[in-house]
C-alpha cells in the first residue's frame, strides 16, 4: 500500500477519490482507495475506506463516489492493489497529472520524491490502522480527490 500526503487548507467536501492506471495494465486489477488520519507526521487510523474499483483499461482514471468532509490539516491518501489477473508491473498505477481529465479535481501533488511518504506490505482486505510503515524516497502512486 502506498500513502501520499495531502494538506487541506480549509474545511472542504469531496465527492470522488481516484487512481489512474498506467500503460502496463492488461487484465483486471482491483484497487482499494481511502484516506488516513495523520499522527506524528505518519498515516495512523482509517478515516475513509472508500472500497475497491476494478481497473480493466490502461491509461484510464478510475474513481469511487464518496461523501467526505475534511477539516484543515494533514491527511494521507492510500492506494493498494489487492488482486490482479493478467499483466501488472511498476507502471500499472500512475499519478493523475491531468486535472482536466478529472473534472477539475483536486490533486495533492503530481509525481514527487520525498522521505515523508510511506508504504506498507500485506494489506489484503478492508483498511485498518496503519502499522509497520516504511519511509520511502521512491516516486509513489498518488491518489486524487475531487472537491465539491
Amino acid at each position: 500500500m502506498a500513502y501520499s500526503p495531502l494538506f487541506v487548507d480549509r474545511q472542504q467536501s469531496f465527492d470522488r477519490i481516484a487512481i489512474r492506471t498506467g500503460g502496463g495494465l492488461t487484465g483486471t486489477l482491483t484497487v482499494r482507495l481511502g484516506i488516513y488520519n495523520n499522527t506524528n507526521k505518519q498515516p495512523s487510523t482509517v478515516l475513509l475506506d472508500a472500497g475497491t474499483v476494478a481497473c480493466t483499461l490502461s491509461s484510464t482514471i478510475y474513481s469511487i463516489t464518496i461523501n467526505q468532509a475534511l477539516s484543515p490539516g494533514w491527511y494521507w491518501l492510500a492506494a493498494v492493489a489487492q488482486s490482479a489477473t493478467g499483466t501488472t508491473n511498476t507502471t500499472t498505477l500512475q499519478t493523475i497529472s491531468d486535472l482536466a481529465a478529472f473534472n477539475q479535481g483536486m490533486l495533492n501533488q503530481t509525481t514527487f520524491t520525498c522521505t515523508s511518504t510511506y508504504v506498507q506490505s500485506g494489506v489484503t482486505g478492508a483498511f485498518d490502522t496503519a502499522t509497520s510503515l516504511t519511509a520511502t524516497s521512491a516516486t509513489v502512486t498518488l491518489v486524487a480527490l475531487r472537491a465539491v
Side-chain angles (χ1 to χ4, degrees), residues 92-104:
T92 301
L93 296 176
Q94 294 184 342
T95 297
I96 298 173
S97 57
D98 180 5
L99 295 181
F102 195 46
N103 295 329
Q104 301 173 349

Side-chain angles (χ1 to χ4, degrees), residues 55-67:
C55 305
T56 58
L57 300 172
S58 63
S59 302
T60 302
I61 295 174
Y62 288 91
S63 66
I64 298 172
T65 300
I66 62 173
N67 180 13

Side-chain angles (χ1 to χ4, degrees), residues 58-143:
S58 63
S59 302
T60 302
I61 295 174
Y62 288 91
S63 66
I64 298 172
T65 300
I66 62 173
N67 180 13
Q68 184 65 53
L70 297 178
S71 298
W74 285 98
Y75 298 89
W76 294 87
L77 302 179
V80 62
Q82 293 191 319
S83 67
T85 61
T87 302
T88 61
N89 58 37
T90 58
T91 63
T92 301
L93 296 176
Q94 294 184 342
T95 297
I96 298 173
S97 57
D98 180 5
L99 295 181
F102 195 46
N103 295 329
Q104 301 173 349
M106 179 189 162
L107 182 66
N108 55 329
Q109 293 190 39
T110 56
T111 184
F112 71 104
T113 301
C114 69
T115 55
S116 62
T117 300
Y118 295 92
V119 294
Q120 178 181 340
S121 298
V123 180
T124 58
F127 285 160
D128 200 355
T129 300
T131 59
S132 303
L133 297 172
T134 302
T136 181
S137 60
T139 301
V140 297
T141 300
L142 297 181
V143 178

Side-chain angles (χ1 to χ4, degrees), residues 6 8 10-16 35-37 47-48 66-73 75 145-148:
L6 169 72
V8 176
R10 65 188 179 282
Q11 181 73 30
Q12 201 161 12
S13 293
F14 299 89
D15 70 350
R16 299 282 189 285
I35 305 171
Y36 275 74
N37 291 304
L47 177 65
L48 172 70
I66 62 173
N67 180 13
Q68 184 65 53
L70 297 178
S71 298
Y75 298 89
L145 291 176
R146 187 174 79 175
V148 290

